[in-house]
């Protein structure tokens, strides 16, 4: 194998790794909350295409063009990796923001649940806001949501997206159950008579 062939193989391997890294970032595209984030993804895709074009040119080059094309490929590769680093940082911040927002929602619901538990323990009467079963369900749901948020902290790419979807489904179920409980426990619902 010539030095040229070895270099092209090395560049191709790095390009496959960079493309895989881009796909992991792209899997989180639905987090793109603004034009800047979408532009970041578009820029990375364009630089990725540049590197692929340079690789094709290297494969077809003759000895005279080799050094010039090799320099072009190196520049394109460096630009791509810089863009990937920036995109990874940007989407890491978006993931962290998402997680912090969900933690705040979880704390708010947790405080509400703590109030309900205190109310339940205080009255223990039939007319209590929550039944024991409802309290158990909400407590388990809160615990599951906390665990899912921990999983989000360590996830990336497609795994992160799946973990987020699971968290969202759990969260919707918790919120819906708490709304029903509040509606059933409200004075209007308790005082309403069937007509």
């Amino acid at each position: 194998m010539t030095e040229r062939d070895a270099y092209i193989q090395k560049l191709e391997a790095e390009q496959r790794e960079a493309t895989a890294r881009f796909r992991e970032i792209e899997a989180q595209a639905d987090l793109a909350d603004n034009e800047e984030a979408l532009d970041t993804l578009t820029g990375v895709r364009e630089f990725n295409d540049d590197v692929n074009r340079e690789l094709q040119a290297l494969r077809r080059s003759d000895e005279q063009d080799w050094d010039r094309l090799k320099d072009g490929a190196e520049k394109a590769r460096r630009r791509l990796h810089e863009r990937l680093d920036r995109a990874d940082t940007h989407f890491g911040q978006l993931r962290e923001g998402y997680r912090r927002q969900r933690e705040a929602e979880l704390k708010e619901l947790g405080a509400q649940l703590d109030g309900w538990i205190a109310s339940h323990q205080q009255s223990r009467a039939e007319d209590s806001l929550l039944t024991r079963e409802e309290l158990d369900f909400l407590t388990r749901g809160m615990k599951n949501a906390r665990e899912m948020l921990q999983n989000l902290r360590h996830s990336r790419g497609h795994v992160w997206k799946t973990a987020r979807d699971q968290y969202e489904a759990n969260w919707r179920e918790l919120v819906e159950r708490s709304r029903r409980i509040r509606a059933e426990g409200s004075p209007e619902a308790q005082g309403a008579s069937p007509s």
Side-chain angles (χ1 to χ4, degrees):
M1 177 183 299
T2 67
E3 179 183 338
R4 177 179 165 170
D5 293 337
Y7 176 79
I8 289 174
Q9 280 187 351
K10 173 183 170 276
L11 202 55
E12 286 172 337
E14 287 178 2
Q15 182 59 11
R16 283 191 297 274
E17 184 180 309
T19 299
R21 189 173 165 204
F22 172 67
R23 291 222 166 89
E24 285 289 304
I25 294 168
E26 192 177 37
Q28 300 159 62
D30 55 343
L31 273 177
D33 57 348
N34 56 36
E35 284 298 313
E36 181 186 340
L38 292 173
D39 288 345
T40 298
L41 283 175
T42 302
V44 172
R45 186 177 294 115
E46 288 169 0
F47 281 111
N48 195 40
D49 293 343
D50 287 349
V51 173
N52 285 328
R53 279 191 292 279
E54 293 289 340
L55 266 169
Q56 292 302 321
L58 274 174
R59 285 188 199 102
R60 293 187 306 267
S61 70
D62 58 23
E63 287 302 317
Q64 292 176 353
D65 290 338
W66 171 252
D67 287 333
R68 181 182 58 80
L69 291 172
K70 183 180 173 186
D71 288 343
E74 281 298 316
K75 286 177 186 172
R77 186 189 64 77
R78 277 193 305 274
R79 286 192 307 259
L80 172 61
H81 283 278
E82 288 169 6
R83 280 294 179 119
L84 280 170
D85 290 345
R86 271 190 259 149
D88 200 27
T89 298
H90 183 78
F91 278 88
Q93 291 167 346
L94 290 176
R95 282 191 312 272
E96 183 61 23
Y98 175 88
R99 191 185 56 75
R100 278 195 310 269
Q101 181 181 354
R102 296 308 171 255
E103 280 181 345
E105 291 172 349
L106 195 58
K107 283 180 184 175
E108 183 180 334
L109 186 59
Q112 193 173 42
L113 180 59
D114 289 344
W116 291 341
I117 290 171
S119 170
H120 184 267
Q121 289 171 340
Q122 186 178 15
S123 70
R124 300 254 192 232
E126 290 264 336
D127 61 348
S128 174
L129 183 59
L130 297 176
T131 66
R132 186 78 221 148
E133 182 180 304
E134 289 168 331
L135 280 174
D136 289 344
F137 171 82
L138 288 171
T139 303
R140 277 191 315 274
M142 295 286 291
K143 182 179 180 230
N144 287 342
R146 283 187 187 100
E147 289 170 2
M148 289 177 181
L149 276 175
Q150 286 301 319
N151 289 341
L152 279 175
R153 177 173 286 163
H154 305 291
S155 301
R156 298 273 186 278
H158 295 289
V159 173
W160 187 90
K161 188 174 176 129
T162 301
R164 189 203 56 201
D165 291 345
Q166 290 171 345
Y167 174 81
E168 290 288 339
N170 183 70
W171 179 253
R172 282 190 301 274
E173 186 178 2
L174 267 173
V175 168
E176 181 56 33
R177 180 67 70 101
S178 74
R179 278 191 196 118
R180 278 198 311 259
I181 290 168
R182 278 185 295 221
E184 291 168 3
S186 70
E188 296 84 27
Q190 289 175 356
S193 61
S195 355

